[in-house]
Amino acid sequence: MREVHVIDHPVLQDKLADLRDRHTPVGEFRRLLADAGTLLFHEASRTLTTRQVSVQTPLKRARAKRMAKPILLVPVLRAGLGLLQGILPIIPTAQVGFIGLQRNELTLEAEAYYGKLPRRLARYAVFLLDPMLATGGSSGAALRQLQSRGARDLRLVCLVAAPEGIRHLRKSHPGMPVFCAAVDDRLDEQGYIVPGLGDAGDRQFGA
Ligand code: PRP
Ligand code: URA
């Protein structure tokens, strides 16, 4: 299976264009990121396993399918919250866990400051949500945390990825499925994705 899935859907790409635009105001940025979350989740959930069930329609019994496992959505604070907003309305029964990570501005190392996850993660199909895969330090640390708590059925949903971050995850988590809307050129000296969209946390919530 391919590891990195770049979702080249016209509606998603149109939203990404607005998200990249420096003139997009904060309210609009939040709405667009939620829409992108919906569209990315649609693709990232395509291979979820299902089980056969039978339901009674107003006319007769029908064979139907249900998702085989409960869904766990895990946004990386803060920026992952924007993607979460677009996914919860279509999977309102999902459980939500939280991982708080802050990149140290000098070393670019991800420092953990919060974690709240359900028990027994092996039961879930887990979606880690973080719009930016830059050095890969944050996503790598979050994936390690989830795996150490038993998560096995796991994928990363991001919006923009840097080649450096993809290389990082290939080494630290070979075979991990990554869903994104774009793979950009590179990182700059401050660890920002170029051309990217700037600081995804600041653009949603202010500095
Ligand atoms: C941003 C972003 C990712 C991380 C990506 O978070 O939301 O979590 O940087 O960078 P990396 O791949 O090099 O680790 P940040 O640390 O700025 O925190 P914030 O979302 O609270 O602003
Ligand atoms: N985090 C962001 O929010 N943006 C980047 O470009 C890199 C890391």
Side-chain angles (χ1 to χ4, degrees), residues 48-55 64-69:
L48 286 178
T49 49
T50 54
R51 62 188 167 84
Q52 290 285 345
V53 295
S54 164
V55 294
K65 290 178 189 174
R66 290 207 181 278
M67 290 184 287
K69 291 184 195 171

Side-chain angles (χ1 to χ4, degrees), residues 76-79 101-103 130 132-138 199 201:
V76 175
L77 304 177
R78 296 172 298 168
L101 291 169
Q102 175 73 59
R103 254 186 3 166
D130 190 338
M132 309 308 278
L133 176 63
T135 64
S138 302
D199 187 309

Side-chain angles (χ1 to χ4, degrees), residues 157-179:
V157 177
C158 60
L159 182 71
V160 181
E164 291 87 338
I166 291 173
R167 280 199 292 276
H168 180 113
L169 287 193
R170 278 208 174 111
K171 272 199 196 138
S172 65
H173 293 84
M176 178 62 59
V178 177
F179 295 84

Side-chain angles (χ1 to χ4, degrees), residues 78-79 103 108 130-135 138 160 162 184 186-188 190-203:
R78 296 172 298 168
R103 254 186 3 166
L108 299 184
D130 190 338
M132 309 308 278
L133 176 63
T135 64
S138 302
V160 181
D184 275 8
R186 61 183 175 84
L187 297 181
D188 71 7
Q190 278 86 44
Y192 279 96
I193 301 176
V194 180
L197 48 76
D199 187 309
D202 289 359
R203 291 199 65 188

